[in-house]
Amino acid sequence: ARRAALDGHHGGSTRGAGIDVYEESEFCLVLPGHLYELGRRAWDAMARGCLPVVVSSEPLHVTVPFAWQLPWQDFAIFTTADSPEEAADVIEALVRATETQE
């Protein structure tokens, strides 16, 4: 699915729809999953200029790749969401943050 999104055509463009979304976004959600996938999703976001928003369930326990080499706390946002309502709150806070910066 990831490859299809990144390799697919979007709006007649030859660029991938997933890449377009990353490039047009200020924040990119990095949702829970396997550690390897966390690094891959975070890299996809950062490579396109998107700030990663790492979402985990309580308690917040996330192992990030290259923690000893990258100051994650300086460029990423870490938060928790244990319910659809809390996930909606995270998204609403990100939307508000982008609106105040414009």
Side-chain angles (χ1 to χ4, degrees), residues 51-79:
L51 296 174
V53 179
V54 181
V55 181
S56 178
S57 58
E58 282 285 345
L60 180 61
H61 179 73
V62 176
T63 304
V64 293
F66 307 109
W68 60 95
Q69 295 173 319
L70 296 174
W72 282 85
Q73 66 280 4
D74 293 344
F75 64 84
I77 297 170
F78 294 89
T79 188

Side-chain angles (χ1 to χ4, degrees), residues 26-41:
E26 194 166 330
F27 300 104
C28 291
L29 295 176
V30 179
L31 301 173
H34 189 273
L35 175 62
Y36 169 74
E37 289 298 318
L38 173 107
R40 179 178 227 171
R41 289 187 305 266

Side-chain angles (χ1 to χ4, degrees), residues 21-28 49-53 97-98 101-102:
V21 169
Y22 283 145
E23 288 177 350
E24 295 172 7
S25 300
E26 194 166 330
F27 300 104
C28 291
C50 220
L51 296 174
V53 179
T98 57
Q101 291 179 359
E102 292 177 353

